[in-house]
Amino acid sequence: MRAEPVRNIGIMAHVDAGKTTLTEQLLYASGVIRTPGRVDHGTSLTDSLEVEKKRGITVRAASVVLNWKETNIRIIDTPGHADFYPEVERSIRALDGAVLVVSSVEGVQLQTLAIWTALRELGIPTLIFVNKLDRVGSEPHKLLEDMQKQLSTSIFPMQFVSRAERKTPRIIPISDHQQTMVKAMECLAHQDEQMMHRYAHDERTNWDEMDGLILRLTKEGKVFPVFFGVAMTGLGVSEVLDGVINYLPGPKGSNANDLSAVIFKVETGNVEGRMVHVRVFEGTIGQRLGIHNETTGKQEKAVRILRLARGRDYENTATLEAGDIGVLFGLQDSKVGHVLGSGYAIPNISTPVEPMLTAKIFPEQGNEWNELLEALQRLEDEDPLLNVEWLEEQREIHLRFFGEVQMEIVCNMLFSRFNLVADFSEPCVIYKETPAGVGEAGIKFRDGGYADLELRIEPLPTGSGFEYESLISGDNKIYQKFMKQIPQILEKIRNRGPSGREITDLKVVLVDGYCKYDLGTKPEDYKIVTPIVFNMALEKSGTRLLEPVMDFHISVPEEYGSQIYRDLVKMRAQFKQPAADGERLLFTGRVPFAETFKYTPVLYASSHGQGILKTKFCGYCPVEKTQ
């Protein structure tokens, strides 16, 4: 029997492609809800936050479950706006399969490309739903060609869309349309030798044989079937549900294996307490049994466990098993992204996105600093990348962001959840620093005890992050309990170096040290001496300034090419000569994020609204000196 009892899938898309509308229709078609909600009316089941209802956008991932043809389909509905892409990345790790929604009018967009890249990196089997066939400007067959060009040549249609003077498009199954069958055969032939032989020799194949091959290759993440429809009216929705249970895999884990689970979401505002959302890949989690957090090294216990039951409803359970998605109560030190048990079965994003903007936030009422800081720390628990910093001497709170929409959402959440009114400073680009060379320093600390320390700082290649090495061994030099805290102190202080910027791409070596417990050495001594020595070594090594850099694609009509060329030169971009793409020019290269941050309206004006800009973060690079 092909269909398995469970599917854990994500619904993903660029903002406004119809992702949440599709989720509502899936819930409606399966009988979970009586009437499909609408994003623009704030009535969708998955958008439960007040700010989501008001703005009509998804901010936090939401989990729902439905039953279709005796298969439980657990769905994680994710944000579509680029400012909330980290929420998408965190959710992807919890999935066995995905449905990517693409608008047949707007086509492949910036977030579409980002999501597709992440799905392919983790090898998540994916179906594509082309939405909004009823809209003016819908060109599904042209979009199919664009997706094959921009996403993968292994994308192929499962249906044929016919208009034939009908206002409502007619969707014909692949098995009833020979031309579409041939297109699918061509795609499958590149992945299967037997099908290649049949295709090359014009041999016919029946639908059952093709269907079995589509099933295998889709689950292996080698081909990507495309379905068509109109989410708003429900057209094509049942076919998507069939596609999910027919072509996407179920969980593969075993309860008998060691625990391997990941936390993909935390909710702190619930009246029942802190809710930790977890996906279990292997093993089990039991109520009031010890749970090892591999990320922190600590043991915790779940005092209560919930499992998704129907819609957004949960049911109490004593155990979460392999393949389950559920909620744990009582875990106070476990955060988003943490691994429970061990990470051997958990997909891992190699280069997760990070914020590139920072801003100060301050209360409208000058006496509400404590309340604001406490509220922001609760929001940080849900989204760790906010990186809330309280600078006591300056009396400033700093946050990190992906964009101005996220800043606006944080303000809305502060008001709706905590009744606090806050304002932001103008956002600034986050720069970092890296050692320019090798620097070594040491001191003998004699403030009530012995706490000698010598450190060496070495530069590492761009993108390496932070490494630590000790050249000395234990108790005859520095007691083990003191030595263990040194890398933790270094990790903390490098996040805000002498200039206030993060120091990255460096290795710190503990060269030498000495302490005498009987002469009064205390752990606090190394909290004092480590930053001093680190800064001394960093001063000797010198630093280079790093800035965030983006890969970019700019497409414009030919007549605007010279203006875009001049813009890119001013923006310190590194780019090739533009390539011709029909009657348009395509510019590709790399450009500092600081130059592209507010370039979209400039491009719009320069190209009379016909320019398209797509960017992707590619890392930090040294700031090039301008002539």
Side-chain angles (χ1 to χ4, degrees):
M1 184 174 178
R2 175 183 298 173
E4 296 174 290
V6 171
R7 298 290 184 273
N8 295 316
I9 70 167
I11 307 290
M12 301 174 172
H14 185 95
V15 66
D16 292 334
K19 163 190 56 62
T20 301
T21 302
L22 174 61
T23 304
E24 289 292 308
Q25 289 288 352
L26 297 176
L27 292 167
Y28 173 67
S30 61
V32 172
I33 54 178
R34 293 183 177 180
T35 304
R38 291 189 52 165
V39 176
D40 52 347
H41 293 171
T43 56
S44 58
L45 185 67
T46 53
D47 288 343
S48 59
L49 295 176
E50 192 63 31
V51 67
E52 292 177 318
K53 295 177 181 179
K54 287 183 178 179
R55 286 294 304 267
I57 62 173
T58 303
V59 173
R60 293 281 187 264
S63 303
V64 293
V65 65
L66 58 86
N67 188 278
W68 183 256
K69 297 183 178 178
E70 299 183 354
T71 299
N72 280 324
I73 302 176
R74 302 166 184 152
I75 299 172
I76 300 180
D77 180 32
T78 61
H81 197 283
D83 282 13
F84 306 101
Y85 180 67
E87 189 84 359
V88 178
E89 275 194 345
R90 292 190 282 263
S91 300
I92 286 176
R93 298 178 73 193
L95 306 177
D96 297 314
V99 176
L100 178 65
V101 183
V102 182
S103 167
S104 63
V105 179
E106 287 80 12
V108 177
Q109 297 177 278
L110 174 62
Q111 189 77 336
T112 316
L113 290 167
I115 294 168
W116 182 260
T117 301
L119 289 170
R120 300 286 56 79
E121 181 180 347
L122 297 185
I124 304 292
T126 305
L127 307 181
I128 297 172
F129 177 67
V130 172
N131 190 23
K132 303 184 180 181
L133 294 183
D134 58 336
R135 287 266 303 273
V136 175
S138 168
E139 298 184 67
H141 303 298
K142 181 179 183 300
L143 173 59
L144 186 66
E145 294 176 0
D146 289 343
M147 289 192 297
Q148 290 170 336
K149 183 188 301 184
Q150 297 188 58
L151 301 181
S152 172
T153 56
S154 297
I155 286 172
F156 67 94
M158 292 292 288
Q159 299 153 329
F160 176 77
V161 180
S162 173
R163 293 190 181 276
E165 300 181 0
R166 296 163 61 99
K167 290 185 178 180
T168 302
R170 181 182 172 212
I171 300 175
I172 302 171
I174 181 174
S175 55
D176 295 339
H177 194 268
Q178 185 60 36
Q179 186 179 354
T180 307
M181 281 267 285
V182 172
K183 287 183 180 179
M185 279 185 67
E186 182 180 1
C187 178
L188 296 171
H190 291 287
Q191 303 292 339
D192 183 80
E193 288 186 10
Q194 187 176 3
M195 185 61 71
M196 174 62 80
H197 177 82
R198 291 189 175 190
Y199 180 75
H201 293 83
D202 290 328
E203 294 181 12
R204 293 197 169 210
T205 183
N206 62 51
W207 168 242
D208 287 339
E209 290 177 318
M210 277 190 64
D211 193 35
L213 186 57
I214 293 170
L215 165 66
R216 176 172 66 82
L217 294 177
T218 303
K219 287 188 175 183
E220 292 175 359
K222 294 180 179 178
V223 299
F224 312 99
V226 179
F227 296 84
F228 299 88
V230 181
M232 185 65 75
T233 65
L235 180 66
V237 167
S238 61
E239 288 79 1
V240 171
L241 284 166
D242 288 341
V244 167
I245 63 175
N246 287 339
Y247 303 116
L248 294 182
K252 300 176 182 178
S254 169
N255 295 342
N257 292 335
D258 292 336
L259 176 64
S260 184
V262 66
I263 297 170
F264 65 91
K265 179 181 176 181
V266 170
E267 290 181 273
T268 60
N270 192 283
V271 294
E272 297 182 84
R274 190 170 185 266
M275 300 176 67
V276 174
H277 295 250
V278 63
R279 162 67 198 273
V280 182
F281 287 89
E282 298 282 357
T284 61
I285 294 176
Q287 188 172 341
R288 299 193 180 277
L289 298 178
I291 304 171
H292 175 69
N293 184 319
E294 184 181 73
T295 309
T296 64
K298 296 181 179 180
Q299 291 284 122
E300 295 202 73
K301 291 182 180 180
V303 298
R304 186 184 176 200
I305 301 177
L306 301 178
R307 182 192 289 117
L308 270 172
R310 188 173 187 270
R312 291 204 67 180
D313 295 334
Y314 288 83
E315 60 186 6
N316 286 298
T317 181
T319 307
L320 285 181
E321 300 181 343
D324 277 344
I325 293 176
V327 174
L328 308 178
F329 292 86
L331 276 62
Q332 297 306 314
D333 294 321
S334 296
K335 299 183 181 297
V336 173
H338 283 192
V339 170
L340 304 181
S342 65
Y344 70 93
I346 302 170
N348 189 42
I349 303 271
S350 60
T351 53
V353 296
E354 55 182 289
M356 289 174 284
L357 295 173
T358 183
K360 302 173 189 176
I361 185 171
F362 41 89
E364 189 177 78
Q365 299 295 326
N367 61 347
E368 293 182 335
W369 284 102
N370 290 338
E371 293 85 348
L372 178 60
L373 183 59
E374 182 179 341
L376 288 170
Q377 287 170 340
R378 290 181 65 179
L379 293 181
E380 183 186 30
D381 196 26
E382 301 170 7
D383 183 2
L385 293 179
L386 282 175
N387 194 48
V388 178
E389 280 191 294
W390 165 244
L391 305 182
E392 190 166 358
E393 291 184 9
Q394 296 93 331
R395 290 192 62 78
E396 293 176 353
I397 301 176
H398 291 234
L399 302 184
R400 294 190 174 190
F401 295 96
F402 287 87
E404 292 179 321
V405 171
Q406 187 188 11
M407 294 170 64
E408 182 183 341
I409 294 298
V410 167
C411 278
N412 288 340
M413 294 177 76
L414 286 170
F415 181 73
S416 62
R417 291 176 57 178
F418 306 102
N419 198 30
L420 291 169
V421 179
D423 292 311
F424 281 102
S425 66
E426 189 71 19
C428 302
V429 174
I430 297 173
Y431 290 86
K432 298 182 180 182
E433 291 182 74
T434 188
V438 176
E440 189 168 324
I443 62 172
K444 295 183 177 181
F445 188 70
R446 297 290 186 270
D447 187 6
Y450 284 76
D452 300 349
L453 188 66
E454 185 175 348
L455 298 174
R456 182 171 69 246
I457 290 176
E458 303 171 356
L460 292 177
T462 301
S464 299
F466 171 65
E467 294 181 10
Y468 174 77
E469 180 185 4
S470 173
L471 300 182
I472 67 175
S473 59
D475 295 344
N476 63 329
K477 288 283 189 177
I478 301 177
Y479 293 113
Q480 286 290 343
K481 64 180 180 180
F482 296 163
M483 285 183 62
K484 289 180 180 178
Q485 69 178 359
I486 290 175
Q488 298 171 1
I489 297 169
L490 288 169
E491 182 67 60
K492 184 176 181 180
I493 61 176
R494 79 170 186 88
N495 286 331
R496 182 169 284 277
S499 64
R501 302 186 185 98
E502 178 186 342
I503 313 297
T504 189
D505 300 336
L506 77 160
K507 180 178 182 179
V508 179
V509 180
L510 174 56
V511 178
D512 203 358
Y514 185 69
C515 73
K516 295 252 332 154
Y517 189 76
D518 56 346
L519 292 180
T521 307
K522 305 178 295 297
E524 289 75 17
D525 294 334
Y526 281 98
K527 292 181 181 179
I528 296 172
V529 73
T530 303
I532 295 173
V533 177
F534 176 82
N535 289 339
M536 290 170 58
L538 192 65
E539 186 176 353
K540 290 185 178 181
S541 71
T543 60
R544 292 186 299 165
L545 189 64
L546 303 176
E547 64 180 342
V549 176
M550 313 295 287
D551 287 328
F552 74 86
H553 291 70
I554 296 178
S555 174
V556 293
E558 288 181 349
E559 59 266 33
Y560 304 117
S562 58
Q563 178 59 51
I564 303 306
Y565 191 98
R566 289 192 292 269
D567 287 348
L568 291 172
V569 171
K570 291 179 183 178
M571 293 160 63
R572 300 184 287 127
Q574 298 177 355
F575 60 100
K576 304 174 183 176
Q577 287 295 321
D581 184 16
E583 296 181 352
R584 299 175 71 87
L585 293 177
L586 178 64
F587 294 81
T588 61
R590 289 189 170 183
V591 63
F593 171 71
E595 305 291 348
T596 63
F597 174 38
K598 296 188 176 181
Y599 181 64
T600 299
V602 176
L603 173 63
Y604 187 87
S606 298
S607 62
H608 293 171
Q610 299 181 65
I612 301 171
L613 169 66
K614 295 178 180 179
T615 59
K616 178 186 176 183
F617 174 68
C618 63
Y620 274 78
C621 295
V623 175
E624 299 292 339
K625 294 182 180 180
T626 56
Q627 300 296 325

